[in-house]
Amino acid sequence: MPILIARGNAARHIYSTLILNRHPASFFIIVCTSMDNTIFILILIIPVTGFVLERYLEYLNAGMWSPTLPEKLKGICDEEEYRKTQFYYKDNKKLSLWSSSVNLLVILIMIAGGGFALIDKFAQSFSSHAVIIALIFFGIIGLASDIINIPFSLYDTFVIEKKYGFNTMTIRTFITDHIKSWFLALLIGIPVLGLITWFYYKTGPQFWLYAWGLITLFTIFMNLFYSELIVPVFNKQTPLEAGSLRTEIEKFAQRTGFKLRDIYVIDGSKRSSKANAYFSGLGPKKRIVLFDTLIKEMTEDEIVAVLAHEIGHYKKRHVLMTLVFSVLLTGIMLFLFSLVINNPSLSRALGAEKPSFHMGLIVFGILYSPLSLIIGLVSNYISRKNEFDADRFVKENFKPEFLAQALKKLTVKNLSNMIPHPAYVVFHYSHPPLLRRLQKLE
């Protein structure tokens, strides 16, 4: 692997020339100035390391499968369902490999080839205002990223999910979902990102405090009104009709001192046959939402058990603690960002001629990834612990056998991996594996 040594923009020019002329060398490391070089190498190594780690975890996970139904799964699923789960996992693994490989390649080309600097220059040709430049810059990157990943999303939805009987979405719904998502991204992203950028250029090193306050207010607002404002853009929510199911849910809520007004049914079957339920909101805005597929697949006692688990999260203050934890982590991240954003080496590492907030943010986002990974490990551990606590709430206040039966149905129905590798669980699972939860419930 040849190593090319150059400085600054000269290195970028040489690299671009070699690429355009299809030089036979397999790869080039471009060395700029000392600090720029260190940052440049780091922002190349970190994504590659993350990619390799993910592939290794998937390799470990794949090694847990066996040709026949494991003894511990007998009574939960049969041979046919177990094989189907394996095939579903392997198909998703192949798609994940292709998707992550393409995205990694694009990122490396953008870093080594000066792609971010080119987009920065293009954005500057429209305006000299720093905030507008940043909005155009991130808008182009967001649109390009979405376009690159649409083929993978299409394949996942209309090939893999359809093959295994999950997809109920039409092409029209897929397209309108994307349009709506972009509309919301523009409606929410422009003012939030614009204000954060404006804070930086207006207040300097103290910008992180203003940005933290803004993001905190936005986070609280979304926790309160997500189900009322965002969900209706994509799905219909209707109040659960009066009947035995609603009566049983209200009885349980009253018995455990949970003030409940809103129980809704969402048309999840519009997109997938997978079943789910969730709890959202805080205080008077709290709401329980049932997927119509869940009501179709489960008995009333099983549904009450699932909702009892969600109520357990609220009663044990998991929702509030998660919100506080998220706000604190955001503050730490912004503070760290404020310490390095004024370093021009961040922007120069991407080939920019002059430093800017948006170029520095791209580099910081990559450099922050290892710390983000560690935070994710801690978050997953806390989340898994909270799930056990919520299960214990069901055990103490309802009938654990119905929750166990519901968990089995959900896991088998959704073709979830029932025996994941412990290392994969540590890195990726916010919920404990099925067998661990059943063991605790019993």
Side-chain angles (χ1 to χ4, degrees):
M1 180 176 67
I3 298 177
L4 176 65
I5 301 178
R7 297 173 65 86
N9 289 329
R12 311 289 177 186
H13 175 71
I14 295 171
Y15 179 84
S16 301
T17 303
L18 290 166
I19 291 295
L20 291 173
N21 288 285
R22 299 183 180 180
H23 194 280
S26 59
F27 194 76
F28 297 87
I29 297 177
I30 303 177
V31 182
C32 308
T33 60
S34 57
M35 175 62 76
D36 300 356
N37 172 51
T38 302
I39 296 175
F40 179 74
I41 292 175
L42 281 175
I43 61 177
L44 283 175
I45 290 176
I46 288 173
V48 173
T49 303
F51 177 84
V52 172
L53 175 62
E54 185 60 27
R55 303 287 77 77
Y56 178 65
L57 290 172
E58 288 186 353
Y59 167 77
L60 292 177
N61 216 25
M64 298 296 290
W65 295 106
S66 62
T68 58
L69 181 67
E71 188 67 31
K72 61 180 73 175
L73 293 183
K74 290 181 179 178
I76 296 176
C77 66
D78 57 30
E79 289 277 357
E80 184 180 352
E81 289 168 332
Y82 180 67
R83 283 195 299 272
K84 189 175 180 182
T85 302
Q86 287 191 58
F87 295 144
Y88 182 61
Y89 171 82
K90 289 176 180 177
D91 284 347
N92 277 295
K93 180 184 170 187
K94 289 177 184 176
L95 179 63
S96 174
L97 176 61
W98 278 102
S99 173
S100 54
S101 298
V102 169
N103 279 277
L104 176 66
L105 180 62
V106 169
I107 290 173
L108 293 180
I109 291 174
M110 289 290 288
I111 294 171
F116 289 110
L118 290 175
I119 297 175
D120 182 37
K121 281 186 179 181
F122 181 74
Q124 290 179 39
S125 68
F126 285 89
S127 174
S128 59
H129 196 287
V131 175
I132 296 176
I133 292 172
L135 292 174
I136 295 173
F137 177 83
F138 285 114
I140 293 172
I141 290 176
L143 178 61
S145 176
D146 194 52
I147 291 173
I148 289 170
N149 285 287
I150 280 178
F152 300 113
S153 182
L154 280 167
Y155 187 86
D156 178 48
T157 303
F158 296 102
V159 177
I160 296 178
E161 294 296 296
K162 183 179 180 180
K163 176 181 177 182
Y164 293 94
F166 293 134
N167 181 53
T168 56
M169 185 188 296
T170 63
I171 289 290
R172 180 179 178 180
T173 302
F174 183 89
I175 294 172
T176 54
D177 276 358
H178 261 73
I179 294 172
K180 290 174 183 177
S181 296
W182 267 101
F183 173 76
L184 288 174
L186 294 174
L187 184 66
I188 298 172
I190 288 177
V192 172
L193 182 59
L195 274 173
I196 291 174
T197 308
W198 182 78
F199 287 150
Y200 168 73
Y201 287 107
K202 200 72 175 176
T203 65
Q206 301 302 315
F207 91 95
W208 73 275
L209 290 170
Y210 298 94
W212 188 21
L214 174 66
I215 294 174
T216 299
L217 289 175
F218 177 73
T219 302
I220 294 172
F221 178 83
M222 291 303 294
N223 269 272
L224 288 171
F225 298 102
Y226 173 77
S227 287
E228 292 183 31
L229 299 178
I230 304 299
V231 174
V233 175
F234 299 93
N235 291 92
K236 290 181 180 179
Q237 297 178 102
T238 55
L240 179 63
E241 296 179 354
S244 57
L245 176 58
R246 187 178 184 100
T247 300
E248 290 301 316
I249 293 172
E250 289 174 342
K251 280 182 181 179
F252 177 82
Q254 186 177 13
R255 189 169 68 250
T256 54
F258 181 77
K259 294 180 180 179
L260 177 65
R261 291 188 307 168
D262 299 324
I263 309 173
Y264 283 85
V265 178
I266 191 172
D267 59 339
S269 57
K270 179 180 179 181
R271 293 177 178 79
S272 175
S273 63
K274 292 182 177 179
N276 205 350
Y278 68 89
F279 173 89
S280 70
L282 296 168
K285 291 294 181 181
K286 58 181 179 287
R287 172 184 297 199
I288 284 176
V289 181
L290 305 172
F291 279 49
D292 54 358
T293 47
L294 186 80
I295 295 175
K296 182 180 178 182
E297 295 290 334
M298 295 192 178
T299 66
E300 288 187 0
D301 283 327
E302 290 168 352
I303 294 171
V304 174
V306 171
L307 295 184
H309 172 89
E310 299 300 328
I311 291 173
H313 280 304
Y314 188 86
K315 294 290 288 183
K316 291 180 177 292
R317 301 185 184 278
H318 296 160
V319 178
L320 181 61
M321 287 189 294
T322 300
L323 177 60
V324 172
F325 187 60
S326 173
V327 168
L328 288 175
L329 287 179
T330 301
I332 293 170
M333 181 191 69
L334 288 169
F335 172 69
L336 293 175
F337 181 43
S338 71
L339 297 178
V340 299
I341 181 58
N342 288 324
N343 189 336
S345 293
L346 294 184
S347 297
R348 284 204 302 264
L350 291 179
E353 295 177 355
K354 60 180 182 179
S356 63
F357 175 83
H358 52 276
M359 293 291 277
L361 182 57
I362 291 290
V363 176
F364 177 78
I366 298 173
L367 296 177
Y368 185 76
S369 296
L371 180 58
S372 179
L373 176 64
I374 295 171
I375 292 171
L377 295 177
V378 176
S379 298
N380 282 342
Y381 172 79
I382 295 172
S383 178
R384 291 193 299 270
K385 182 178 179 297
N386 289 344
E387 291 301 318
F388 283 133
D389 287 345
D391 285 352
R392 187 162 56 250
F393 179 83
V394 180
K395 190 173 182 179
E396 294 168 352
N397 295 277
F398 194 60
K399 301 170 183 177
E401 62 271 18
F402 288 118
L403 178 60
Q405 191 59 39
L407 291 174
K408 292 176 185 177
K409 282 186 178 180
L410 284 172
T411 304
V412 175
K413 168 74 176 175
N414 295 343
L415 297 180
S416 302
N417 187 357
M418 287 172 272
I419 313 181
H421 191 278
Y424 196 88
V425 172
V426 169
F427 278 87
H428 288 292
Y429 276 45
S430 60
H431 286 54
L434 174 66
L435 296 180
R436 288 284 293 132
R437 295 182 71 176
L438 294 179
Q439 183 183 17
K440 291 278 188 178
L441 282 170
E442 294 169 359

